[in-house]
Amino acid sequence: MKRDLTERLEGWITRSAAVRGAAKAFSRPLNGLFQQTPLRPAKLLLNGSWLEHPLHPLLTDVPVGAWTVAIVLDLVALIFRVPNLGLASGLTIGFGTLVALATIASGVMDWLDVDPPEMAIGAVHALVNTVATVLFAVAFVWRWRTGWVITGDKFALTLIAYLTIAAGAFLGGSLVFRLGTMINRNAYRHDPKDFVSVIALGALQEGVPLRVDLQGSPILLVRRGEVIHALGGMCSHYGAPLEEGKIIGDTIQCPWHYSRFKLADGSVREGPATSPLPAFEARVVDGQVQVRSR
């Protein structure tokens, strides 16, 4: 049962064999090109791990803001007959279009890490926004070649492009706020401030990641000599079970998208994750491993 318009739209997209097939066909070579290759640093740069915040949503504000200014300038020029606004409007359209290219690139890098239902919606989101960007590019060239004069037909094209980008932004918002794509998977944890026993020390093998339950939430334990590292058991990026990951030096690597977190404190050492893991103090009392929120 589809209870509202957004669910109907999402359902139509995710049920479409054509959309799913195109998304899969497009993602396969890109994953092969960027995931575990010398080009991976470029992907991580566009993911935004270095910024401690996903780069794509930050960049989206720039072209949308520039294009909004262009719409306002056009309306002022056409309604109030204010002269000499054509160049300013045209340049804001061009600037927004230029930044949109980087926005699209960062969005594609995030899209490579999503699951099939979100992948289909993300593909339509990308397609709609790309069409809008092309329309804005055409609007810019048209104004440039005609002396930056604002006319009704030029405004109409810009308005169509703006409404198209608004539709694409709606789908992007649905991906995040309804489907939970790219949110911190550990955001709603409430871990104990007092020590709680979680496992017998003898059950914890040297250097072998182990998942245990802490009042309904997963904890990752790693024993290294006399030190026991305790972190949140889900990757903050997409919720992968970190006990299935790989120990690399002083980090644990996510088994799904290869984010790496420092064992000592859960900080991000390599993306695409942008949020650190919850970190815990660990001690041994009477042969039991006890942990509490750090």
Side-chain angles (χ1 to χ4, degrees), residues 240-254:
L242 290 176
E243 75 277 6
E244 298 178 9
K246 182 190 300 183
I247 301 294
I248 300 178
D250 63 348
T251 67
I252 179 77
Q253 184 182 64
C254 172

Side-chain angles (χ1 to χ4, degrees), residues 61-291:
D61 290 347
V62 180
V64 172
W67 294 331
T68 301
V69 170
I71 290 289
V72 172
L73 290 174
D74 282 2
L75 287 172
V76 170
L78 292 171
I79 295 173
F80 300 104
R81 305 295 181 181
V82 177
N84 303 321
L85 293 180
L87 179 60
S89 179
L91 290 179
T92 56
I93 291 173
F95 177 70
T97 304
L98 187 64
V99 179
L101 300 178
T103 306
I104 291 170
S106 63
V108 169
M109 294 301 105
D110 288 346
W111 177 73
L112 294 181
D113 297 327
V114 302
D115 288 336
E118 294 88 351
M119 181 178 289
I121 296 173
V124 176
H125 163 70
L127 177 62
V128 172
N129 286 348
T130 300
V131 169
T133 302
V134 171
L135 290 175
F136 277 116
V138 171
F140 172 78
V141 173
W142 187 7
R143 292 168 186 241
W144 173 37
R145 297 188 65 176
T146 55
W148 307 110
V149 177
I150 298 175
T151 59
D153 49 358
K154 293 172 187 173
F155 172 72
L157 175 60
T158 305
L159 183 60
I160 291 170
Y162 191 79
L163 293 175
T164 304
I165 202 69
F170 181 87
L171 284 175
S174 181
L175 277 169
V176 175
F177 298 112
R178 293 182 68 119
L179 301 179
T181 305
M182 297 299 293
I183 64 170
N184 178 10
R185 302 294 166 156
N186 297 299
Y188 301 110
R189 293 181 64 124
H190 298 283
D191 296 306
K193 296 182 179 179
D194 297 321
F195 280 106
V196 176
S197 295
V198 290
I199 195 173
L201 178 62
L204 193 57
Q205 301 179 44
E206 174 71 23
V208 178
L210 179 68
R211 180 184 179 123
V212 298
D213 179 81
L214 177 64
Q215 299 180 350
S217 297
I219 294 285
L220 178 76
L221 298 178
V222 178
R223 181 178 182 178
R224 309 193 87 179
E226 299 298 318
V227 177
I228 297 175
H229 299 292
L231 301 170
M234 289 194 305
C235 178
S236 60
H237 172 240
Y238 220 73
L242 290 176
E243 75 277 6
E244 298 178 9
K246 182 190 300 183
I247 301 294
I248 300 178
D250 63 348
T251 67
I252 179 77
Q253 184 182 64
C254 172
W256 290 358
H257 305 117
Y258 314 112
S259 296
R260 288 170 56 185
F261 303 91
K262 190 174 180 180
L263 290 170
D265 60 9
S267 57
V268 178
R269 285 295 173 262
E270 183 175 306
T274 58
S275 299
L277 300 176
F280 300 85
E281 294 181 53
R283 70 181 186 184
V284 179
V285 177
D286 297 329
Q288 293 288 314
V289 177
Q290 298 183 339
V291 298

Side-chain angles (χ1 to χ4, degrees), residues 43-79:
K43 177 184 183 300
L44 299 181
L45 175 69
L46 291 169
N47 286 142
S49 299
W50 56 275
L51 191 61
E52 301 176 5
H53 186 289
L55 185 60
H56 180 65
L58 185 152
L59 288 177
T60 58
D61 290 347
V62 180
V64 172
W67 294 331
T68 301
V69 170
I71 290 289
V72 172
L73 290 174
D74 282 2
L75 287 172
V76 170
L78 292 171
I79 295 173

